[in-house]
Amino acid sequence: MTGRAWGVLFVLCGAIFLEGIDVAMLNVALPAIRDDLDLSTGTLQWVMSAYVLGYGGFMLLGGRAADLFGRRRMFVLWLVVFLLFSGLGGLATEGWMLIVARFVTGVAAAFMTPAGLSIITTGFPEGPQRDKALLVYAGTAAGGFSIGLVVGGLLSAIDWRWVFFAPVILSLGILLAALALIPASPRPDRGGQGVDLAGAVTVTAGILLLVFGVERATHVPAAWTVGTVGTALLLFLAFAVIERASSSPLVRPGIFRSGSLVRANVAGLLFAAGFFGFQFIVVLYLQELRGWSSLQTSFALIVIGVDAVLSPLLTPKLVARFGHARVIFGGLLVASLSYALFLPLGADWTYAAMFPGLLLLGVAFSLVYGPLTIVATDGVAEEEQGVAGGLLYTSFQFGAAVGLSAVTAVNITATDGASPAALLDGYRAALVVPLAAALIAAAVSASGLRTRRARADSAPVGGHRAGPERSDAPGGVEQPAGLGS
């Protein structure tokens, strides 16, 4: 790669690092925020979910906007919005103010992130160079998360508001670097295409209602929950109809003909649900049941950040030897083992008892996150790279929101009282949710392994595989064997 290419990658890695550190710092600051603003567990969960809902709900529109209006333009514009509303979150004096600020920050990330990812996937040729760039990108995201855990603990010990003010300084530095290093590109030829606002509204409303229904399930009659979830499903159906009828759909239906892309998105959704739900419960366990400080919690969870080292160093070697499909499947099995180790959670567990599960989760993240990013964008036409990235990050954030809602609902249902024993019962019950999500994700990815074997068996004599299948739609998607190879 040229020096300029490395410079651009540096800026984009800075942006994904910012996103990771922003989320991680908030995770460890949640108990301090709850105490200062007197928030209930449900409201506290919405402080997290507001961000991932804005992020996931508008990600498809963000990816499409990057393709239509220019990737650099969208990246820079929404980085400014991210900067402003991150700072406003630190000024919140009521729970609803913090939730609104987090939602808008999430929307900004929804436009900024797919633009950044598509700059990489269109700027590096498909193959080893792009894979290397994407794995470095994934490792940087992991580094942001692990460093954010420690920095968040340090800042929370001073004042939780600095968890929101610190990203403003980092955002400003990334903005200046982006203006200097990312080259301006000609305005894309939209050919009469517009933005599918009807599709964006229906899919965002569907996501919001679905997660809201899950979160409120323990507080309202079952009929209300069924009605809310049913309305969400109807909105998703309306979204599908709108996309088929639209001359410029938010997501071209033909892109889903790629089995590997679909499996990558489903596996990503389930993996994120488990990962975010697990960390939410573990933070509550350490700080509310065990009485650990924010800083102690940060150092306890930093071992998960081992993926920042493994993603660029070990994962490429494993992918080269075994292929994306097997590496992703193996990572999901490792995640399942990690969650299973926490099921017998005790009221007085030592850190030595927690360490193996936390370490395995970091290993799992390194094996799953980067390869999924590669598989979800491989073979996609350049003019749809923003959409492909938007789909994947929508899956991640939608999964995170549902995972947070599900563990919160199970935790509240299973907690009968405020005694330590009652709290522990709630945590144990909630930890089943991440394990179930990881096992289902592994089953989904296993179907890709079977597809790969079937195609290998049908290859011509001499060991040459049959060529990749292609969609017959314009800008079609190549279908790599299995989940990725």
Side-chain angles (χ1 to χ4, degrees), residues 318-339:
L318 294 177
V319 167
R321 180 168 182 178
F322 300 107
H324 295 114
R326 290 190 179 93
V327 171
I328 292 170
F329 178 69
L332 292 170
L333 291 181
V334 173
S336 301
L337 176 59
S338 168
Y339 300 142

Side-chain angles (χ1 to χ4, degrees), residues 37 39 43 46-47 50 92-103:
L37 300 184
L39 305 181
T43 302
W46 274 104
V47 172
T93 56
E94 300 287 342
W96 69 267
M97 296 171 65
L98 187 56
I99 290 171
V100 170
R102 291 303 292 169
F103 180 78

Side-chain angles (χ1 to χ4, degrees), residues 22-47:
D22 180 80
V23 172
M25 289 194 301
L26 180 60
N27 285 345
V28 295
L30 289 175
I33 294 172
R34 182 215 287 269
D35 291 342
D36 191 27
L37 300 184
D38 193 25
L39 305 181
S40 66
T41 298
T43 302
L44 189 68
Q45 180 256 319
W46 274 104
V47 172

Side-chain angles (χ1 to χ4, degrees), residues 94-394:
E94 300 287 342
W96 69 267
M97 296 171 65
L98 187 56
I99 290 171
V100 170
R102 291 303 292 169
F103 180 78
V104 178
T105 304
V107 173
F111 283 82
M112 180 178 71
T113 303
L117 179 61
S118 61
I119 289 172
I120 294 177
T121 55
T122 57
F124 294 89
E126 190 169 326
Q129 283 194 31
R130 183 188 294 180
D131 288 0
K132 181 179 180 180
L134 289 174
L135 289 172
V136 169
Y137 186 72
T140 305
F145 178 81
S146 57
I147 293 174
L149 291 174
V150 177
V151 174
L154 291 170
L155 294 177
S156 296
I158 301 171
D159 189 328
W160 64 263
R161 296 181 186 277
W162 278 102
V163 166
F164 296 92
F165 295 147
V168 173
I169 301 171
L170 182 57
S171 300
L172 184 59
I174 295 170
L175 176 62
L176 295 175
L179 293 172
L181 294 174
I182 298 179
S185 56
R187 181 182 291 272
D189 181 9
R190 297 196 291 272
Q193 299 181 72
V195 176
D196 181 16
L197 290 177
V201 169
T202 52
V203 73
T204 301
I207 292 172
L208 288 168
L209 278 178
L210 181 60
V211 177
F212 184 67
V214 173
E215 193 274 336
R216 297 298 298 171
T218 58
H219 307 288
V220 297
W224 188 95
T225 300
V226 171
T228 304
V229 173
T231 303
L233 296 178
L234 287 176
L235 285 168
F236 289 137
L237 179 61
F239 172 69
V241 172
I242 290 170
E243 297 309 280
R244 288 187 176 277
S246 176
S247 59
S248 55
L250 190 66
V251 181
R252 181 178 58 83
I255 201 171
F256 294 109
R257 296 180 186 179
S258 168
S260 59
L261 180 145
V262 171
R263 279 188 291 273
N265 279 271
V266 173
L269 186 154
L270 292 166
F271 180 71
F275 185 82
F276 277 84
F278 173 81
Q279 67 179 358
F280 182 71
I281 293 298
V282 169
V283 167
L284 292 181
Y285 163 76
L286 292 176
Q287 297 196 25
E288 298 195 335
L289 181 65
R290 302 297 300 278
W292 289 23
S293 67
S294 298
L295 189 57
Q296 288 175 311
T297 302
S298 299
F299 280 112
L301 298 181
I302 194 174
V303 64
I304 299 175
V306 69
D307 59 336
V309 177
L310 297 180
S311 290
L313 297 180
L314 176 63
T315 305
K317 296 177 181 178
L318 294 177
V319 167
R321 180 168 182 178
F322 300 107
H324 295 114
R326 290 190 179 93
V327 171
I328 292 170
F329 178 69
L332 292 170
L333 291 181
V334 173
S336 301
L337 176 59
S338 168
Y339 300 142
L341 290 175
F342 266 83
L343 290 182
L345 188 68
D348 57 352
W349 263 22
T350 63
Y351 184 63
M354 297 180 241
F355 184 82
L358 296 174
L359 178 63
L360 286 175
L361 185 56
V363 173
F365 198 96
S366 70
L367 298 178
V368 174
Y369 184 77
L372 277 179
T373 304
I374 295 169
V375 171
T377 55
D378 262 0
V380 177
E382 181 172 331
E383 61 271 18
E384 291 187 315
Q385 282 291 328
V387 170
L391 277 171
L392 180 65
Y393 282 109
T394 296

Side-chain angles (χ1 to χ4, degrees), residues 452-471:
R452 179 177 181 175
R453 284 196 297 269
R455 290 181 179 173
D457 291 341
S458 64
V461 176
H464 298 290
R465 277 171 41 189
E469 297 177 6
R470 292 178 179 270
S471 165

